[in-house]
Amino acid sequence: MYALADIWYQSVRHLRTQLRMPVWIFVNLFQPMVWLVLFTQVFKSLSDMPGLGGVSYLTFLAPGIVVMTVLFGSAWAGMGLLRDIDMGILSKMLATPVSRVSIILSRVFASMVVLVVQALIILLVAVIMGVDIAAGIPGVLLIIVLVSLLGLGFAAFSNGLAITLKRMEPLIGIINFVALPTVFMSSTMMAPDLLPGWLDTVRHFNPVDYAVVGVRGLVLTGYVWSDLWRSLTVLSGWAALGALFGLLMFRRKGE
Amino acid sequence: MSVIATYQLTKVFPGGVRAVDGVDFEVNAGEIFGFLGPNGAGKTTTSKMVNTLIQPTSGTALISGFDIRKDPGEVRSRIGYVGQDVGVDEYATGRENLTLYGRFYRLGGKTIKQRVNELFELVDLIGYEDKMVSTYSGGMRKRLDIAMGLIHQPDVIFLDEPTVGLDPQTRVHVWDYIRDLAKVMGVTIFLTTHYMEEADHLADRIAIIDRGKIMAIGTPAELKQSISGDAVTLSPGAGKANESQDFISRAEAALSGQAFVIRTQVMDGGLAVYVEHGESAVPEIMRLLSSHGIEVGTISVSRPSLDDVFLKYTGRTIRAEEGTPTTYAEVQRKRSRRQ
């Protein structure tokens, strides 16, 4: 029970820190919208392409932007932990009876809260721009579940790497190395049918793709349960794997 | 009853470095216990093991009767840890920092509120409760840091180099707070430091640690008494460090048999001669040395200090500013530059 309370109090701390930075709020609210507008403008001529299922590229891409925003946001989640290590905050905390797992889990949870808000904003803007979410309001709830699982996995991995590497430079390097390629190695930007064969194979090993397929299905066609179950299962596995990695690294290096 | 008791506490780091090597000591309830040694002596490693932050390789310690290896949870709820870094969140207010720690120690909301007010008064931060820590000065941060380790009224608080990086004036202030703390709250304090002055000033008892081993334990007065008489230190002088070996052995041979010399102690680059009355012994020493044809570069007289105690037990001096062990010759050079 104390673990839950510890997660809560620390999450409050993390969120409060971020909300006190006006620039941070501004950037995080507007970045998703910038993605949405920029991508649809740059790729405007793609709308005429076959393979998108006869929908506008905006409608096709909006789910991808939701997933991408969650991915980028959660991949950077470990940076805050690095500050706590550098400032001596972490070792001071570890000398208290605070639940060990709560230190990682509260960071992951706080990231989730931010990402869910961002995802909702993108969906709202997309709807205003003319996107019709086929699965309706309950579908939005499912979208949130899907991207939360994806984000949980990445945020936990990022925190696990932070505690292992203990330094900013290698962490930044790894995040940059991983984040964008995982987007391109999925059907985020392009319909699966239009991907070259090898990428179509690779994407099946990429959790990002399962999130995109799940969310896009809900937006374009509604409840395709065969796809949804697969996405939910794979993403749950991904989240569990990330959490396991994060907690193991924390236990190993946290001494 | 002892609040801390260690039993052959040992830490061997990967690579075989024995940072702490079979350390035994006891800290009594209510005392300020100074753990004194140069950087790298094993102070912080010892403190971190007792604080459950790192696992001992062998041996163990009891905190208020709880084993650090078997009951780390019980230990943690009975200690306050104030590390070398100021572990406060500067993007939160002082009150938020303290309240979070109250939660970590499982205190109720009401108790926390009351303790927070008491502690702000104790560390003299009234009026700054709801200001962001980023606006605090270094000394204020350190005081908040200490308050955070006290919120649960621990049996013992660990202060690891509490005044490192603070300017001399702030240092004296922090000392005052630490002493008040011991008096007002009756809390036991385990203080690690490489400042002789700090240990002398604050500690009821001192353990001298060097290269992972405890060399001596006692009150500052006891330790100083173990050095009988004044110390007259001789060296061949600046720029003649390469002759010091020869100088030391010849000077020692000339002086050690004399009736007025209590004992001599060889150190890097010079010789310490302990005598009853330093000032009156100097002319006699000079006369003896010159009759043996030994030329003295520098000579100084000092009352026994913790520096001498440290020298006696470790064969080295401790340089106050950096806390790194250094040779006697270096100290002399530094002194002569300052004059």
Side-chain angles (χ1 to χ4, degrees), chain B residues 220-282:
Chain B
E222 278 168 9
L223 290 174
K224 285 177 204 164
Q225 269 162 22
S226 72
I227 307 284
S228 33
D230 298 339
V232 178
T233 45
L234 312 165
S235 85
K240 293 189 182 168
N242 52 341
E243 295 167 26
S244 62
Q245 257 341 90
D246 179 53
F247 171 84
I248 291 167
S249 52
R250 288 176 63 207
E252 196 177 17
L255 295 168
S256 57
Q258 298 300 317
F260 69 97
V261 174
I262 300 167
R263 65 186 183 88
T264 57
Q265 163 101 42
V266 178
M267 43 196 193
D268 274 346
L271 183 71
V273 184
Y274 292 92
V275 296
E276 204 64 53
H277 299 289
E279 281 82 358
S280 55
V282 169

Side-chain angles (χ1 to χ4, degrees), chain A residues 10-125:
Chain A
Q10 287 175 83
S11 299
V12 169
R13 173 196 161 211
H14 303 321
L15 290 170
R16 198 170 49 201
T17 305
Q18 298 186 317
L19 286 175
R20 282 189 179 139
M21 290 184 280
V23 175
W24 181 89
I25 299 174
F26 178 84
V27 167
N28 279 278
L29 288 186
F30 283 88
Q31 171 131 58
M33 294 184 227
V34 170
W35 284 139
L36 207 54
V37 172
L38 267 185
F39 271 96
T40 48
Q41 287 301 303
V42 167
F43 298 115
K44 201 166 185 167
S45 53
L46 292 183
S47 309
D48 314 325
M49 247 181 358
L52 294 185
V55 296
S56 69
Y57 190 65
L58 172 68
T59 307
F60 176 81
L61 192 66
I65 300 293
V66 172
V67 171
M68 207 172 82
T69 305
V70 168
L71 164 66
F72 287 177
S74 55
W76 290 101
M79 297 297 280
L81 183 59
L82 277 184
R83 191 179 70 93
D84 276 7
I85 295 172
D86 283 346
M87 305 279 292
I89 295 175
L90 181 65
S91 44
K92 194 173 171 71
M93 269 203 276
L94 287 175
T96 76
V98 70
S99 143
R100 313 282 116 165
V101 294
S102 76
I103 295 172
I104 289 272
L105 293 184
S106 67
R107 291 205 162 272
V108 173
F109 179 73
S111 304
M112 293 299 88
V113 173
V114 173
L115 295 170
V116 165
V117 172
Q118 283 186 303
L120 287 173
I121 291 170
I122 301 171
L123 288 174
L124 186 72
V125 173

